[in-house]
Each structure stands twice: as C-alpha cells, then as structure tokens.
Amino acid sequence: MKKIYKIIIVFFLSMIILTISGCSNKKNVQEQIETSESNSSSSYKNPIIPDGFHTVETETASWNKQDDGTVEGWNNGLVIEDDKGNQFVWIPVNTDDLDYYKEKSIKNIDDSIIKNGGFYISRYEAGNDNEKIVSKKDSKVWININYTKAKLISKDMYNTDKVKSALCSGIQWDMIMNFVNEKNDGRNEVFNVKIMDTKRHTGNLLQSGKNESDRVQNIYDLEGNCSEWVAEKTNIKNEPYVNRGGYFGNKYGTAASARNSNGDREYDRKSFRVVLYVM
C-alpha cells in the first residue's frame, strides 16, 4: 500500500513540475513578436498601455489578442486615449534597427524606446485649446509658435513617473516615416511617400484631422496640414532648426520633407507634434 502511495505522490509531483515548466515558456504580451516581412526577419515588441490611458478600437487597428498573445493590430497604428480625449498612435521600432538609429542620431535614443520597442506619437498635430495643448480631432491647430516654446509645451503635457512627453525628434520622425512606408530594414534615407496613398490639401489651414485623405496608419496630417518643428538642429547659422512634413501652402511638400528655419520666429504654417515615453 505504501508503494502505491509513493507512486501516486511521484506522479503528482511530476505533473506539477511539467506545469511550471510549461508556464515559464509562455510568451508574455510585452515580449518580442517574431515576424517575417519581405524576406527579412524582424523583431518587435508588443505595445505597453501607459497608466491613465485606455485602448481605442479603430477600423484598421484592433487591440484584440491573437492566439499567441500578440496584439492583432500592432503594425497598423494602434490608438490609445487619456481621460481627456487626447489620442496617440503606437510606433513600433524594429529592435534589429536600433543600432542604426543610434549611430544616425546626434543624441542618444531615449531608453524607453529601447526598452519598450517603440513609442507613441500624437495622432494629430498639436491643438491649441485656450493655450493648453491637445491631441484631438477638429482642434484649432497650434501655429504662430517658435521652436523653444513648442519644445517646452510638449515637455509639460505629461510629466509623471509613468509617462513623459517631449517634442518629436528628427530621428523619431524618420522612425515614423519608416513605419508608415512599411519599410523593413529601417535604413532608408529616401522615403517613397507615394505608397502612403495620402493626399495633402493646399490653400488654407484646416482643423486637425479634417483631411481624411491625409491619414496613414491612423496618424493625421503628416503630409499637411502644417509643417512641424522637430527636436533637431543643423550647423546652418541663421536657420539651425528643422521642421518636417508638408504644409497647406506648398503643393510639392511631402511627409518626409525637411526644411531649415529660424527657431526664434513664429510662423503661420508651422505646428508641432508630441511623443510619449512609457517609463
């Protein structure tokens, strides 16, 4: 009888060990996603939803989990929203490309991008709601603002131990271009904006997100409405600051366009865009 009890005990102990071993091999939702795109193997990470934000389902990007635990719409422009209605889009960054971005960037890539495998970008150009910044559709676009003020306002939008914000940098703009153009290696100096299938408008300034034709991966107004200040400087003495994207007064501008400007001046065709870092 004792021998039978010993056999039963050994059996149950074996089952417990197998169960623990199986659990340790399950993929955490924040771990890497292995994907294969156009003959290249790429590694991405599932997006992290920061405290104080909730997910937003869109027609093109769903937060539903797949059988393997990955987020279904991770590569289609996942949207989050805070309790005030400000919306942001997840920009996945291929971990294999981070070394390239580090070499290209004058400043270090933010640690949270490396840790999380991406960052959030405001879905809309900065809106001006009684001198408070918003990222909402149909907002009054914040223009007539110089580089220094745009950088300061961006930094002050979120500043907690969980989430911080900043003015989008030039290298992050390149990451966005790489994402919306569905490039695979992250090393493209020239972007084929035609495949984005967007259409800028010309003639006058619109409210944020008004032009549905200028929406790609759930991000609005990259090819217009305004060109946007980015945290990047050049060695050009009189115009050392950079703005990116197209704007309503230039029919030849593209989402990847880069121009130099005087950062102390305020322009009626320049706005800015905020990035979020999940700490």
Side-chain angles (χ1 to χ4, degrees):
M1 198 70 177
K2 290 183 178 179
K3 186 176 182 180
I4 294 174
Y5 283 134
K6 285 181 179 179
I7 293 171
I8 293 172
I9 291 170
V10 170
F11 172 77
F12 278 110
L13 286 173
S14 300
M15 292 300 292
I16 292 170
I17 291 170
L18 286 171
T19 301
I20 293 171
S21 177
C23 289
S24 66
N25 288 328
K26 287 184 180 179
K27 184 180 287 295
N28 186 289
V29 294
Q30 295 181 8
E31 291 180 354
Q32 290 186 351
I33 307 167
E34 296 298 328
T35 64
S36 179
E37 301 176 356
S38 303
N39 301 322
S40 68
S41 178
S42 303
S43 297
Y44 293 88
K45 293 182 180 179
N46 265 329
I48 297 175
I49 305 166
D51 287 353
F53 289 79
H54 59 268
T55 61
V56 176
E57 291 291 306
T58 67
E59 293 180 359
T60 57
S62 173
W63 282 91
N64 290 332
K65 297 285 182 63
Q66 301 182 95
D67 292 340
D68 62 357
T70 60
V71 178
E72 184 178 323
W74 69 273
N75 199 31
N76 295 321
L78 292 165
V79 179
I80 59 171
E81 183 179 85
D82 68 9
D83 57 2
K84 297 179 181 179
N86 295 299
Q87 294 189 342
F88 295 81
V89 175
W90 176 250
I91 306 297
V93 179
N94 186 336
T95 54
D96 296 335
D97 296 329
L98 281 172
D99 287 340
Y100 165 76
Y101 285 125
K102 290 176 187 176
E103 291 175 4
K104 186 178 178 183
S105 180
I106 297 174
K107 296 182 178 179
N108 293 330
I109 303 298
D110 191 274
D111 289 341
S112 72
I113 297 179
I114 299 172
K115 179 181 73 173
N116 299 324
F119 60 96
Y120 287 97
I121 187 72
S122 53
R123 192 178 187 187
Y124 307 98
E125 290 175 324
N128 187 342
D129 184 7
N130 294 318
E131 296 300 303
K132 290 188 177 181
I133 184 174
V134 296
S135 175
K136 300 178 182 180
K137 189 177 178 67
D138 296 329
S139 296
K140 178 183 177 183
V141 177
W142 201 321
I143 57 173
N144 295 318
I145 182 170
N146 63 32
Y147 169 83
T148 302
K149 187 174 180 180
K151 188 175 182 180
L152 179 63
I153 290 172
S154 299
K155 184 179 180 181
D156 290 343
M157 189 175 187
Y158 299 94
N159 188 15
T160 70
D161 59 344
K162 300 294 184 182
V163 184
K164 295 190 183 299
S165 58
L167 180 66
C168 181
S169 70
I171 195 69
Q172 286 170 325
W173 194 278
D174 284 347
M175 291 175 177
I176 296 167
M177 293 295 97
N178 189 65
F179 171 57
V180 299
N181 279 284
E182 300 179 339
K183 302 294 185 184
N184 300 312
D185 61 7
R187 297 166 185 159
N188 301 282
E189 300 296 335
V190 180
F191 298 94
N192 181 7
V193 295
K194 291 183 179 178
I195 68 171
M196 288 168 54
D197 194 27
T198 60
K199 185 178 180 181
R200 77 182 72 80
H201 73 281
T202 56
N204 60 296
L205 178 68
L206 300 178
Q207 290 180 315
S208 61
K210 204 68 175 179
N211 182 11
E212 284 291 334
S213 296
D214 192 0
R215 174 172 62 90
V216 58
Q217 306 293 64
N218 279 325
I219 308 171
Y220 284 85
D221 298 327
L222 289 174
E223 196 153 320
N225 187 28
C226 291
S227 58
E228 303 176 23
W229 292 115
V230 294
E232 179 180 352
K233 290 185 70 174
T234 70
N235 57 4
I236 298 176
K237 185 176 180 180
N238 295 326
E239 295 184 329
Y241 294 93
V242 179
N243 54 93
R244 301 293 296 268
Y247 68 96
F248 64 87
N250 183 354
K251 64 180 181 179
Y252 300 108
T254 69
S257 294
R259 304 174 190 83
N260 298 331
S261 297
N262 184 328
D264 295 327
R265 288 186 57 186
E266 299 177 352
Y267 301 84
D268 62 2
R269 60 184 181 276
K270 286 182 177 56
S271 186
F272 59 105
R273 200 176 294 254
V274 175
V275 294
L276 288 187
Y277 299 125
V278 184
M279 310 312 291

